[in-house]
Amino acid sequence: MQAIPVPVKNVSIYAYFDPTEPIEEIVIEGASGTYAVGTLTTNVFYNLDLNDDGKRVNPLNVHSKYYAVGETEDGKKFTTPWMFCLDNSSSPKFGRTISLFDANDNPEYTPAAPAVVDASEYIRLAPLYDITVSHLFEPPAIGQEVLIQNGKGYIIGTRIGTPHLMGVEVDSGDRTSRFFAGLKNIIITGKTEKGTLISRQNLTVVSAGNPALFLEEFFG
C-alpha cells in the first residue's frame, strides 16, 4: 500500500527509552507536519516529517530513537511507534521500517547470519547519496557510533537466495570510526536521486573494505 502523508498538528516528540524505565524526555513540542504509514510485501514503513514551527526543548540526534504524540487535522489522537531521527535540521524527519519477520517485533523469528557475498552476487538497485552509517550500541548501553559520513553508494540486493538479502553498498565517504565484518545493529540513511530521505536498519557489516557492504534479510 502506497503511503499517503496525512497532515498532523500539535505534535510532541519524545526520546524513546526502554519501556520498563520511568523516564520521559520531551524534545519538540507544538509542531505540525505530515505522518505516513505504508506497506510493501512484509514491511511496514512509518515516516513523520515536521515543519519548522515547533519548539525545540532538548537536543535531537540523527539515528537516535524517538516517538511522537499528536493529532490529525480533524482532531483524532495518534501515537507513533518509535522511529529513528533521519534529519535533525529545522525541519526534522523521522522514519522506521518494520518487518513482520523482525526479531524485535516477532520473537518467534530467528534470523540467520547473512552469508558473505562479493560484487558478482548482488545487484545495484538504485544510487544513494549523503550516506551516514552508524552502529547502534546494544542494550543496556545507550547511544551510537558514526562509522561513515558523506558517503555515496547504492541500494543493493542479492541475485539469489532464500530469503533474498537487501542492503547498501558504500563506495566512498569519510570513515570516522573503524568497523569490521560481522558487526551488527547498523543503521544507514541516505538520499535517492530525487532527494527522498530513506533508511535501512538491522544491517550487518558483510565487508569493511572498499566498497563496504551492509546487508539485512528480506522476505518477498
Side-chain angles (χ1 to χ4, degrees):
M1 179 183 70
Q2 180 68 33
I4 301 176
V6 176
V8 292
K9 61 182 180 180
N10 298 327
V11 177
S12 295
I13 301 295
Y14 294 87
Y16 178 83
F17 297 99
D18 187 319
T20 63
E21 299 178 12
I23 302 175
E24 182 176 280
E25 179 184 286
I26 189 168
V27 179
I28 298 174
E29 58 183 13
S32 64
T34 60
Y35 180 47
V37 180
T39 59
L40 177 63
T41 63
T42 58
N43 293 287
V44 183
F45 302 90
Y46 298 89
N47 290 97
L48 176 67
D49 297 350
L50 298 182
N51 302 324
D52 185 18
D53 62 356
K55 179 182 178 182
R56 191 74 61 97
V57 179
N58 280 299
L60 180 66
N61 301 308
V62 171
H63 290 178
S64 291
K65 296 177 180 180
Y66 301 90
Y67 70 96
V69 176
E71 58 185 90
T72 61
E73 291 200 324
D74 58 2
K76 292 182 179 179
K77 306 289 185 181
F78 72 90
T79 300
T80 71
W82 67 258
M83 296 181 288
F84 291 108
C85 173
L86 307 180
D87 182 343
N88 64 350
S89 68
S90 59
S91 300
K93 302 180 188 301
F94 304 84
R96 183 182 175 195
T97 302
I98 298 177
S99 169
L100 298 182
F101 297 95
D102 192 332
N104 292 324
D105 301 289
N106 182 355
E108 295 181 356
Y109 169 59
T110 303
V116 175
V117 299
D118 60 37
S120 66
E121 295 178 323
Y122 65 82
I123 304 169
R124 289 175 169 174
L125 301 175
L128 207 56
Y129 306 92
D130 295 335
I131 294 172
T132 299
V133 180
S134 295
H135 172 229
L136 303 179
F137 300 147
E138 296 287 347
I142 299 174
Q144 61 184 285
E145 181 179 30
V146 177
L147 306 180
I148 301 175
Q149 292 180 312
N150 305 314
K152 294 182 179 179
Y154 297 87
I155 298 173
I156 60 173
T158 53
R159 296 179 184 274
I160 59 175
T162 305
H164 292 290
L165 300 175
M166 296 287 288
V168 177
E169 169 195 307
V170 182
D171 299 328
S172 64
D174 304 320
R175 298 198 177 202
T176 56
S177 299
R178 296 182 63 183
F179 55 95
F180 53 88
L183 184 65
K184 298 180 180 295
N185 213 21
I186 302 294
I187 176 175
I188 296 179
T189 55
K191 292 181 180 178
T192 66
E193 288 183 307
K194 295 182 179 180
T196 302
L197 194 62
I198 68 167
S199 68
R200 305 295 301 185
Q201 61 204 52
N202 299 325
L203 300 169
T204 296
V205 181
V206 173
S207 172
N210 189 17
L213 299 178
F214 307 86
L215 293 178
E216 66 178 345
E217 287 189 302
F218 176 77
F219 291 77

